[in-house]
Each structure stands twice: as structure tokens, then as C-alpha cells.
Amino acid sequence: MTETGRAGTAAPIAVGDQAPDFSLKDNHGRTVRLADFRGGAAGHDAGGAGDSDLEGKNVVLVFYPFAFTGVCAGELGALRDALPAFVNDDTQLLAVSTDSIHTLRIFAEQEGLEYPLLSDFWPHGQTARAYGIFDEDKGCALRGTFVIDRTGIVRWSVVNALPDARDLDQYVKALAAL
């Protein structure tokens, strides 16, 4: 299910497409690359702890507009509360916004979020644009979720407008289908 054609945004990437790779800093300043989760991934940070644990994982990539907003905090809190379904031997949850890493660190601490919050701050919204979900008028990502398999192919996606929360159960069903 995807929503397309809103003013100020490009069409989201489609199910079956190769997921655009990215390299973003998380809320602790560590570099996270989508390619690191693919089977046989190469090019990890030198000395990165646990990199071999990343290889061959499905990724649930969740874009959200802004930290410290009601709907975003609610969605990310629901993911936190169901974390074993999204962070385990087979799957890694990554949440992305255009907030700075400093904002994300405080937000994660305040909300008790123990999964990576990635900053698409600079170049502003570059990753959200690559996924076709950057709202040029608002300067933030839409509520887009992409389930990406171990080979880097998008297997499921949903994109909602800014005020519309996503259904967490849909993510679980999409992962179960992999």
C-alpha cells in the first residue's frame, strides 16, 4: 500500500525495487549503512563492534517527520514496546528523520528508544528524497516504512501523510511473509 502524487514529493520507490543505499549517523554518532545488513556485506567501519552480526538481516526502515511530536512519539513508542519483533537475529529496525543527531539522542533517551535513530539532517533529507518520501514544502520525511530483505530488495512499503499514524501489525505481517 503506498500513497503517491502529493504536491512537493516524488513517488515512493516501489516494492521489488533495490532499496537505495545510505550512510547516516545514528543518535550516538555512529555511521549506519543499509549495505551493512545485506548478506555478505562489505565495507564496514574499521574497528566497528559487532559488524558481522549485521550481515544478512531484513531491515524495517521507518521514516518519521520529527522527534518530539505526538504521532511520531506514539509510533516509535509502539515499536519500542514490540521491539523483539523488530530487532532480533533476522531483523533490524532503523528509524530515520531529518532531525540532528543531538536532537535524536535526547529524544531516544526521553522516550526509552533502544534502536538506532538515524539523522537525515545533512544534506537535508537526502535519504528521504532517495526513497521518494521527502515533503519539500514541510522540509521533512513523510511517514514511510519500507521492509527490505537481506538482498536489499524492498518487499513491502506503506507511506502515510504527516498526520496519519501507521499500523504496526502491518509491519509484523510483512516480515512474516519474508
Side-chain angles (χ1 to χ4, degrees):
M1 174 175 142
T2 59
E3 192 180 295
T4 60
R6 284 175 305 285
T9 61
I13 61 168
V15 170
D17 286 352
Q18 182 75 35
D21 199 13
F22 56 79
S23 178
L24 297 172
K25 297 284 187 185
D26 73 5
N27 48 305
H28 297 286
R30 296 176 294 223
T31 299
V32 176
R33 294 177 188 86
L34 182 60
D36 289 344
F37 297 95
R38 293 192 186 129
H44 303 294
D45 277 344
D51 285 344
S52 63
D53 294 339
L54 303 179
E55 293 182 14
K57 284 192 175 194
N58 300 308
V59 173
V60 178
L61 185 62
V62 177
F63 289 89
Y64 61 100
F66 297 110
F68 298 107
T69 58
V71 176
C72 295
E75 284 188 314
L76 297 177
L79 288 165
R80 173 200 61 220
D81 296 344
L83 200 57
F86 302 105
V87 178
N88 53 54
D89 289 342
D90 296 319
T91 305
Q92 178 63 52
L93 171 64
L94 302 173
V96 181
S97 78
T98 55
D99 295 301
S100 74
I101 63 170
H102 311 292
T103 299
L104 295 178
R105 185 170 197 158
I106 294 168
F107 180 59
E109 288 172 5
Q110 178 179 304
E111 298 296 323
L113 305 176
E114 296 180 5
Y115 51 87
L117 302 184
L118 306 181
S119 176
D120 193 15
F121 184 72
W122 199 258
H124 192 73
Q126 178 176 311
T127 301
R129 282 184 180 91
Y131 280 79
I133 60 163
F134 187 76
D135 186 319
E136 297 288 343
D137 296 333
K138 304 277 189 212
C140 64
L142 298 172
R143 294 183 192 287
T145 302
F146 300 88
V147 173
I148 303 164
D149 72 12
R150 292 170 173 88
T151 66
I153 302 298
V154 176
R155 296 297 176 190
W156 180 87
S157 71
V158 63
V159 179
N160 287 1
L162 293 178
D164 300 329
R166 293 159 282 196
D167 182 355
L168 186 77
D169 292 335
Q170 290 180 342
Y171 305 178
V172 175
K173 289 177 188 173
L175 283 169
L178 292 180

